[in-house]
Amino acid sequence: MNDKKLYILTYEHGGFVLWGDVVKPRLKKLFEWLEKYPTLKIGLDYESFTFDEFSKQDPEIVEMIGELLEKYPDRVGLGATTYGQPLSLTISEESNARQLLYAVRTNLHYFNKTPSVYAISEFALNNQTPQMIKLCGYDAAILRSHVMGYGYPKTFDSAWGNWIGKDGTSVPAVPTYHGQGRGYNCTTVDNWILSRWPVDSDLYSLEDFEKMFSKYEPLLASRYDDLTQPIEEITAYTQNKENYQYILLEEIPGIYGEATDELKTEDNDFHVQMPWGYCGNEIFNGCRKGEIDASQGEKLNAFSVMLGGKSLQQNSEEAWKYVLAAQHHDVTICGLLDLSRRFIPSSLKESGFVKNESLKFLSQRFGNKNGDSVMVINTHSFAVNEWVETPVETDVEVFDGDNNIQSEIVECDGKKILRVFAELKPLTVKTYTLKAAEKKNTADCSYNAATGELITPFYKITLNENGIAKIIDLKTNRSVIDNGNGALFSAWVNGADALSEGEWSIKLYEHSAVAVQKGDIGGIPFTFEMQLSSQSARIDCKMKVEMHNELVGRTDVTQGRPVPLTLNGHHHEDKLCLVLNACLENNRRMFRDLPYSISEWNGDLRKCEEYWYPDDRILIDTPVSQEESFNSTTYYHGIYWLNMRDEERGVAVFNKGCMGAAVQGNKLLIPLIYSNEYMCGTRILEGVFENEFAILPFSSDVTNTDIHRKAMAYAQGAEAKVLTSGDGDMTEFAVADFESDGGEVIMTALYPEDDGILVRFCNYSDEAANISFVSSVGEVKAEVDFLGNEINVTDGKNITLRGWEIKTLKIK
């Protein structure tokens, strides 16, 4: 007889999204099983959005969950640790924070309890998770992605240890054991057994699991898998095993005791794959717009509140909650368009209300008797020099006092748009005076139709029917992009390779140029727009494609290898991709942003086997040579940006939803459209789909933190609004005086909450930094956690953040 304990943790993965119709029947089964199987303990791994949604649609379900928790307090656990079950490496910093804190608050609201150990089914893990969950009150974690279709973490030769994240925060954790399972499209072996044995699996049993991992003590077999799985058979089997003990999350710290091993992770220890281009990127782009608008709306509301306006906290929270639900992994990876087309517009409606009401109040304070003006707002903690746009009725010039500010009038869809190049201090509202003017015919840019050369103060760009042939930096007279005979988009369309071609039209304005190519790729019509200016090196791009059920993306072979259905949608180079061949040396390096992080992607190809069950094979990461890595296809992604750079220069790509890239040497392929077979729900596209992104060539003196700030300014641009003359008493106002030594600390959130305003920062550096944040209205009273609980008393004037640390201050 085996006297060694095997602890069993089994949680039902489900909730409203995808599983709404089966939640109630399964809950009824749980009541039966808890009476029938006296040793069973079981938990509910639902997204917390489930409780909010069912409270409106079917309150009986929430009541049943409450009854289970009350009737079996030591045998039924609540496992909801995120509000919308996201894949956390594909959502922003603030989305990650809100996923955690709204889960805790929602759980407490309905059931007066919330999990104390962080655990997930699918990939809501990253290298800042220890710090973030500590800031939400968690005592421990399970460092396992139980279902690894879309992401997996590092494994460890340890039963229990301190998981140490990027900033040095540690949290006790049960890791994924070496050989337990690691790779896409698989589950951990214990998860598979506990979800399917003996119905669907004759390969391994729990006894086999005990033998495989006998070195680990205490030994935990954990399951976080779909609530539709046939688990009654194995539940019945375990009742007669004296050494098997079911546990709940809360019992883990007491069973395991003090953690002594170090489970240190790096950014690149968390791997994710996503079907970029799936559904025409509609869902990814929509989620991005939702999180940006929710963040921008609440910042504007904070500005308004600080000047005497009304807090719209409830509307902001609703905006966040709907976009957090849209970020659910099944919405994004199963293409649940019915839900995304409900959640995202609902979020945008709430954030739009917050934004408009806040701007309305600010307009009253800043519209003054001196005549019409334009109000411009920088909600970032760093200065921005950006073109801002707002509709106008007539041609105007812009003045700051007696100084003429660079501006122009452009036309868009028959309407006049005022573009102003605003140089704004951090966290500042400023007005510029408007005066009537005649339209000017001068232009800073030029175009030679015979040679196809478009020249701006920054670049000479050679255009031809195939796309962009070359981009030359005029400052250094060196090529930054060289696409040979020209390339814009490539794709595998209806079973054949295709390159785009079309005709260019160029429109020159006073300080900008807009280049538009209309053409087709493999018979698919597209419109590509590129906007360049005399004051910014950034090239803003829009792409519109008209789909009529064409098959885009390869599903037979890729690079000579058969492609199984499980991998369709993940070989990005065969999709409809933007093509950028950067002029870099072979020692180029790749960087990207991750949640509260900036990271180098090592670019190594990993010799990882993909498998469902561990046997005598051991999964080992084997770095390949630099030459092999450079000449092979590598996939990597950044949330808001990614870049490639050598010692002298680089090229960054900012995105508004499509976060992935395939890299072949110096060639960047940004996937925009996939329309073919896919294991989680084939979506063949019909209609018009749009993507927006920006290209930024840069020199070696531009740091990756600079790139992050520039990407944030692109994603969340300064607000501009024309004001008619009024009774306002203000022309410029900074909501706070913010200083950061080294300049690596960036504000990530500013929002009203209850009796104060919260402001959150992250130190985007390995080195400690000091900041001072002095509010213009009110006083900083305390440092708080994500939930608003006071951690330290502070006046905000001398605050130290260790490398990559997140801190939140409360202004009263």
Side-chain angles (χ1 to χ4, degrees), residues 398-416:
V398 182
F399 288 84
D400 184 8
D402 294 328
N403 297 323
N404 194 312
I405 302 300
Q406 195 166 76
S407 64
E408 64 183 5
I409 301 292
V410 302
E411 293 183 5
C412 181
D413 297 328
K415 297 179 180 179
K416 292 180 182 291

Side-chain angles (χ1 to χ4, degrees), residues 64-280:
M64 290 173 69
I65 295 169
E67 185 181 349
L68 276 169
L69 294 170
E70 185 176 350
K71 187 174 181 179
Y72 305 101
D74 299 321
R75 297 180 60 198
V76 176
L78 195 61
T81 56
T82 59
Y83 188 79
Q85 294 198 33
L87 300 171
S88 69
L89 283 175
T90 64
I91 62 175
S92 70
E93 289 102 336
E94 202 54 33
S95 288
N96 270 279
R98 304 307 174 94
Q99 288 281 2
L100 293 168
L101 73 90
Y102 287 142
V104 171
R105 288 178 178 170
T106 304
N107 298 342
L108 292 172
H109 172 74
Y110 287 101
F111 309 115
N112 199 32
K113 67 183 302 183
T114 194
S116 61
V117 175
Y118 183 79
I120 48 90
S121 172
E122 301 187 49
F123 201 50
L125 300 169
N126 60 71
N127 201 28
Q128 286 281 38
T129 297
Q131 182 178 189
M132 289 192 291
I133 63 176
K134 269 287 191 72
L135 288 169
C136 286
Y138 286 94
D139 299 325
I142 296 182
L143 181 48
R144 293 179 184 175
S145 185
H146 295 80
V147 178
M148 295 175 283
Y150 292 84
Y152 61 89
K154 183 178 180 179
T155 63
F156 291 89
D157 188 20
S158 173
W160 173 248
N162 285 309
W163 174 11
I164 303 172
K166 180 146 190 161
D167 76 310
T169 296
S170 67
V171 59
V174 179
T176 311
Y177 312 133
H178 281 341
Q180 190 181 355
R182 193 173 90 89
Y184 299 125
N185 304 310
C186 64
T187 80
T188 54
V189 63
D190 47 340
N191 183 88
W192 187 262
I193 296 166
L194 289 168
S195 297
R196 296 160 177 88
W197 187 90
V199 177
D200 289 341
S201 175
D202 58 359
L203 294 178
Y204 296 103
S205 65
L206 281 176
E207 285 81 2
D208 294 320
F209 177 81
E210 291 178 275
K211 293 175 185 176
M212 291 174 183
F213 304 102
S214 59
K215 65 186 294 186
Y216 300 113
E217 190 172 0
L219 178 62
L220 179 70
S222 59
R223 164 192 173 260
Y224 266 66
D225 210 334
D226 296 346
L227 51 77
T228 54
Q229 298 293 356
I231 67 168
E232 184 171 10
E233 289 82 355
I234 195 166
T235 302
Y237 176 77
T238 58
Q239 299 304 297
N240 298 319
K241 304 287 288 187
E242 292 184 1
N243 67 312
Y244 289 3
Q245 182 177 331
Y246 282 96
I247 62 172
L248 299 176
L249 287 173
E250 288 71 22
E251 298 176 68
I252 288 175
I255 291 170
Y256 278 80
E258 183 180 358
T260 56
D261 291 355
E262 287 193 355
L263 312 176
K264 186 169 179 56
T265 56
E266 306 291 341
D267 285 335
N268 292 330
D269 292 331
F270 300 88
H271 300 258
V272 67
Q273 69 172 2
M274 291 295 282
W276 306 124
Y278 183 47
C279 297

Side-chain angles (χ1 to χ4, degrees), residues 393-533:
E393 297 296 327
T394 60
D395 293 341
V396 292
E397 287 185 300
V398 182
F399 288 84
D400 184 8
D402 294 328
N403 297 323
N404 194 312
I405 302 300
Q406 195 166 76
S407 64
E408 64 183 5
I409 301 292
V410 302
E411 293 183 5
C412 181
D413 297 328
K415 297 179 180 179
K416 292 180 182 291
I417 303 294
L418 170 64
R419 301 184 72 239
V420 182
F421 189 74
E423 299 181 78
L424 295 171
K425 298 174 184 176
L427 298 167
T428 295
V429 186
K430 183 177 177 62
T431 56
Y432 298 101
T433 303
L434 298 180
K435 297 181 180 180
E438 294 184 2
K439 189 173 183 179
K440 299 178 181 178
N441 294 320
T442 58
D444 293 338
C445 306
S446 65
Y447 177 63
N448 186 327
T451 61
E453 291 180 341
L454 174 60
I455 298 176
T456 80
F458 290 92
Y459 307 114
K460 179 168 73 174
I461 303 176
T462 304
L463 307 173
N464 61 25
E465 65 178 10
N466 297 321
I468 299 173
K470 189 173 290 188
I471 301 178
I472 295 175
D473 182 346
L474 292 180
K475 182 179 179 180
T476 62
N477 200 33
R478 299 180 66 172
S479 296
V480 293
I481 300 292
D482 189 344
N483 285 344
N485 293 327
L488 191 56
F489 301 111
S490 66
W492 182 263
V493 181
N494 292 333
D497 278 320
L499 295 174
S500 61
E501 50 181 82
E503 295 184 358
W504 288 96
S505 61
I506 312 297
K507 198 158 190 176
L508 302 178
Y509 295 101
E510 189 176 352
H511 301 298
S512 65
V514 177
V516 176
Q517 187 182 50
K518 291 188 176 182
D520 76 72
I521 176 167
I524 300 173
F526 74 86
T527 301
F528 171 73
E529 178 181 301
M530 182 168 55
Q531 182 168 297
L532 305 103
S533 86

